[in-house]
Amino acid sequence: METFKIEVNGKEILVKENETILNASIRQVGNIFVGCKGGACGMCKIKITTGETVDGIYSKSALPDEEYASGYRLACQSKPTTDMSILPIRERNKVLR
Ligand code: FES
């Protein structure tokens, strides 16, 4: 099974093949805001700075096409296919944007 490295919130985490960025982040970073986990709420939105993903089904209201084209993804629906860097995901009790 392949694993990919992701730089997130100043830490390097390992994401297993076919694992979502959100699940790997919960496991290794902890203290993450988690919403619907179904691509509907947008709570887990991230921006990719380098790397590629495959993405599951999500609501266009949670991630409009123009945001997708600009590199935004929903961590609950995105699975890396390469090593990646992403801008911080939201942690509880912190404002990261
Ligand atoms: S947690 Fe709701 S869209 Fe990802």
Side-chain angles (χ1 to χ4, degrees):
M1 179 180 290
E2 199 165 2
T3 32
F4 303 101
K5 294 178 196 166
I6 299 185
E7 170 94 22
V8 55
N9 294 16
K11 294 182 179 177
E12 184 176 276
I13 65 170
L14 297 177
V15 185
K16 299 173 195 162
E17 191 173 5
N18 288 321
E19 182 178 33
T20 65
I21 294 169
L22 184 64
N23 283 342
S25 298
I26 290 168
R27 203 162 31 78
Q28 295 168 68
V29 177
N31 206 28
I32 304 275
F33 270 120
V34 177
C36 65
K37 287 181 126 181
C41 72
M43 181 75 77
C44 65
K45 195 176 293 179
I46 56 173
K47 185 167 186 188
I48 295 170
T49 53
T50 61
E52 301 290 331
T53 61
V54 292
D55 301 288
I57 296 170
Y58 58 88
S59 164
K60 296 284 185 187
S61 63
L63 184 64
D65 289 342
E66 58 272 15
E67 287 188 357
Y68 188 93
S70 297
Y72 287 92
R73 297 291 185 274
L74 297 174
C76 72
Q77 298 300 305
S78 287
K79 300 173 182 177
T81 57
T82 64
D83 291 343
M84 304 176 64
S85 292
I86 63 175
L87 292 180
I89 61 174
R90 287 188 240 185
E91 292 185 51
R92 292 182 192 175
N93 306 319
K94 287 186 180 178
V95 176
L96 297 173
R97 291 184 181 215

